[in-house]
């Protein structure tokens, strides 16, 4: 009982996967706006490599969780019927088409007309991937997961981790983040909602119990851990917002620190989520 650190590969995969999907949507919107100079547009495309690198690491870790690569491939078998199969299929499709879009674009082989259509398709796949991840954990025999909090928290990760990851990669490309100074507001709102959800869920855990265990006993430090999560998220976002308030373009190093803090915060929250796993009518032995 605790933070669910035994599920660390899934913790990394879900947090990074949702953050990458959110970041791709934001970077895609910047590209589709047509306001990026040609040279900067090309650099932004180059910086997208960071998304696919993180996504690749996430998939490798998820395969480790399954034990062998063959189990990962077998999970495709029940596509359309199994939430797990849908998650892996949607994620793999997003990864494959997004990575192919990036490769053709940086090689300068992408026709202009096809580029916009392909970008929109991958952005839609990103949304489907975010949704598919949350659906995996809507299990009616796990009362601590089978609720709206799971979906809300998973989607919020995309709004919290996605913007700062996109801003970091665009800053690496040489983009002036003052031009999108309103973007952090999206994450600020998401963090406020996250705090409200964490508080509400904390109260509700007291009413969830089976014949053998209580939900509040699974993560006895729930309040403390969620507090640490919110502090890490706030500090991470401050690394991005503070320079903007002074009309300065945040440095790459500061943005890296900000993203790491945000990732740590979301990682802690995801650990609490996995730590809350309980099955109706059965005790957790460990």
């Amino acid at each position: 009982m605790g933070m669910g650190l035994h599920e660390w590969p899934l913790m990394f995969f879900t947090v990074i996967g949702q953050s990458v999907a959110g970041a791709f949507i934001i970077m895609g919107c910047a590209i589709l706006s047509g306001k990026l100079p040609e040279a900067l547009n090309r650099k932004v495309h180059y910086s997208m490599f960071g998304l696919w690198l993180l996504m690749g690491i996430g998939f490798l870790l998820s395969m480790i969780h399954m034990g062998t690569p063959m189990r990962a491939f077998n999970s495709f078998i029940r596509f359309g019927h199994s939430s797990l199969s849908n998650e892996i299929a949607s994620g793999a499709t997003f990864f494959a088409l997004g990575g192919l879009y990036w490769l053709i674009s940086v090689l300068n082989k992408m026709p202009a007309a096809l580029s916009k259509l392909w970008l929109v398709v991958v952005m839609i796949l990103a949304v489907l991937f975010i949704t598919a991840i949350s659906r995996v954990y809507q299990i009616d025999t796990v009362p601590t997961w089978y609720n709206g909090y799971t979906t809300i928290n998973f989607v919020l990760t995309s709004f919290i981790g996605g913007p700062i990851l996109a801003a970091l990669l665009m800053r690496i490309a040489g983009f002036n983040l003052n031009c999108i100074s309103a973007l952090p507001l999206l994450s600020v709102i998401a963090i406020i909602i996250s705090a409200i959800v964490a508080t509400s869920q904390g109260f509700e855990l007291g009413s969830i119990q089976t014949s053998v265990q209580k939900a509040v006993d699974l993560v006895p430090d729930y309040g403390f851990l969620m507090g640490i999560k919110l502090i890490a998220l706030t500090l991470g976002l401050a690394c991005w917002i503070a320079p903007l308030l002074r009309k300065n373009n945040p440095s790459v190093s500061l943005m890296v620190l900000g993203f790491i803090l945000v990732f740590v915060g979301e990682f802690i929250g995801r650990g609490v989520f996995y730590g809350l796993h309980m099955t109706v009518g059965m005790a957790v032995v460990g």
Side-chain angles (χ1 to χ4, degrees):
M1 294 184 287
M3 267 195 63
L5 289 177
H6 60 288
E7 299 286 9
W8 70 267
L10 286 181
M11 291 162 61
F12 186 94
F13 172 70
T14 55
V15 172
I16 282 297
Q18 291 157 354
S19 296
V20 166
F24 182 84
I25 293 172
I26 291 170
M27 296 181 77
C29 288
I31 293 170
L32 289 173
S33 70
K35 296 180 180 180
L36 298 179
E38 181 59 32
L40 182 57
N41 182 69
R42 189 160 181 77
K43 289 180 180 178
V44 168
H45 274 91
Y46 275 119
S47 70
M48 272 188 172
F49 173 73
L51 298 179
W52 313 124
L53 176 62
L54 290 173
M55 197 71 183
I57 295 173
F59 265 112
L60 285 175
L61 290 177
S62 69
M63 291 172 67
I64 291 174
H65 172 77
M66 292 184 180
T68 64
M70 188 55 65
R71 289 182 180 177
F73 292 122
N74 288 341
S75 63
F76 283 101
I77 294 176
R78 287 184 53 76
F79 174 69
H81 302 282
S82 164
S83 296
L84 178 60
S85 296
N86 293 342
E87 175 202 32
I88 295 177
S90 62
T93 305
F94 165 64
F95 186 25
L97 291 184
L100 191 57
Y101 165 84
W102 172 82
L103 180 61
I104 296 176
S105 294
V106 297
L107 292 176
N108 206 25
K109 301 295 184 180
M110 178 71 75
L114 179 60
S115 176
K116 292 184 178 181
L117 176 60
W118 197 326
L119 192 56
V120 170
V121 169
V122 179
M123 290 167 69
I124 293 173
L125 288 172
V127 174
L128 294 177
F129 177 46
I130 294 170
T131 304
I133 294 178
S134 66
R135 292 295 302 168
V136 172
Y137 300 96
Q138 291 293 343
I139 306 171
D140 55 7
T141 56
V142 184
T144 45
W145 290 359
Y146 192 61
N147 51 56
Y149 295 121
T150 296
T151 300
I152 294 172
N153 281 318
F154 275 47
V155 171
L156 283 175
T157 298
S158 301
F159 285 94
I160 295 172
I164 194 168
L165 177 56
L168 167 61
L169 295 177
M170 292 177 71
R171 179 65 184 88
I172 291 174
F175 188 84
N176 187 343
L177 297 181
N178 282 288
C179 296
I180 50 173
S181 59
L183 182 59
L185 182 60
L186 188 64
S187 294
V188 170
I189 295 173
I191 290 176
I192 293 173
I193 295 174
S194 181
I196 295 172
V197 169
T199 303
S200 177
Q201 186 174 21
F203 283 115
E204 190 166 311
L205 288 176
S207 64
I208 300 176
Q209 64 181 58
T210 68
S211 58
V212 294
Q213 63 186 160
K214 297 179 179 180
V216 292
D217 294 333
L218 296 173
V219 184
D221 296 324
Y222 176 88
F224 173 75
L225 291 171
M226 296 309 280
I228 295 297
K229 168 191 171 179
L230 292 172
I231 290 173
L233 294 179
T234 302
L235 291 176
L237 211 57
C239 292
W240 181 10
I241 296 176
L244 296 179
L245 293 177
R246 299 191 298 269
K247 304 299 180 180
N248 294 330
N249 195 17
S251 66
V252 172
S253 59
L254 196 58
M255 291 300 295
V256 169
L257 176 60
F259 174 69
I260 291 175
L261 286 169
V262 166
F263 173 79
V264 168
E266 285 299 300
F267 194 78
I268 291 173
R270 198 55 44 88
V272 170
F273 170 79
Y274 283 109
L276 285 172
H277 177 271
M278 65 186 295
T279 305
V280 174
M282 295 179 64
V284 177
V285 180

